[in-house]
């Protein structure tokens, strides 16, 4: 009887942890989305946080190298669907997707200098932002699950929040 109770308690704790990490991933996308005009970019960034945590959770018992490679592949797929959907070939990323991604990365510096927040959701800026939110959510999951830390998972999203505050010029916002 004690084993069943222990298993149920562990499952409940796991569910709470994953729920908290999903909430953190979505909140990171929501908070970082304020650097863009309109709600579309914010929703895509929230999806990045949710998908990154979901993928990381599905790989939590796998070797860390496999989790990193799968996370990179997942990021590429998610970028394809959320930033470069017009380059997909019957729903599958194509060479056009890779070319568009390369082009977006190559003009990122120029567009980042030229645009002022809140900026239009240009492909280059969305690629960088989507990658940042994905990485922060994945890192938060790794810090919570693999290192079993309680405070460290908050650092990657906090860094993005601070960056968004600097870029938008409105400084720290207690609501976020």
């Amino acid at each position: 009887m004690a084993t069943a109770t222990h298993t149920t308690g562990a499952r409940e704790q796991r569910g709470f942890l994953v729920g908290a990490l999903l909430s953190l991933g979505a909140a990171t996308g929501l908070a970082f989305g304020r650097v863009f005009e309109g709600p579309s970019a914010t929703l895509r960034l929230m999806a990045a946080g949710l998908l990154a945590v979901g993928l990381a959770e599905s790989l939590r018992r796998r070797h860390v190298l496999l989790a990193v490679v799968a996370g990179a592949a997942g990021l590429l797929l998610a970028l394809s669907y959320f930033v470069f959907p017009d380059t997909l070939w019957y729903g599958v990323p194509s060479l056009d997707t890779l070319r568009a991604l390369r082009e977006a990365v190559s003009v990122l510096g120029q567009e980042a200098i030229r645009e002022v927040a809140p900026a239009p959701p240009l492909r280059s800026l969305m690629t960088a932002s989507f990658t940042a939110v994905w990485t922060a959510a994945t890192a938060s999951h790794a810090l919570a699950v693999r290192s079993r830390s309680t405070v460290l998972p908050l650092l990657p999203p906090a860094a993005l929040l601070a960056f968004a505050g600097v870029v938008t010029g409105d400084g720290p916002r207690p609501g976020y």
Side-chain angles (χ1 to χ4, degrees), residues 45-136:
L45 293 174
M46 289 174 71
L50 291 169
L51 289 170
V53 170
L55 180 60
E57 177 60 21
S58 71
L59 297 165
R60 77 180 177 347
R61 293 187 178 201
R62 303 289 184 228
H63 191 277
V64 70
L65 185 58
L66 175 62
V68 168
V69 170
L75 172 60
L76 180 61
L77 284 172
L79 279 170
S80 300
Y81 290 107
F82 287 96
V83 181
F84 306 103
D86 59 323
T87 65
L88 298 173
W89 181 72
Y90 294 103
V92 177
S94 65
L95 287 176
D96 289 340
T97 307
L98 296 176
R99 285 187 201 106
L101 179 58
R102 186 182 70 222
E103 173 66 22
V105 170
S106 71
V107 300
L108 175 61
Q110 298 161 358
E111 290 183 346
I113 289 171
R114 186 177 60 238
E115 297 299 329
V116 177
L122 303 173
R123 283 181 160 185
S124 62
L125 300 176
M126 279 303 298
T127 297
S129 299
F130 200 93
T131 302
V133 170
W134 183 281
T135 304

Side-chain angles (χ1 to χ4, degrees), residues 148-170:
R148 299 180 189 261
S149 175
T150 55
V151 176
L152 289 178
L154 299 174
L155 293 180
L160 282 184
L161 198 74
F163 178 78
V166 168
V167 171
T168 56
D170 59 3

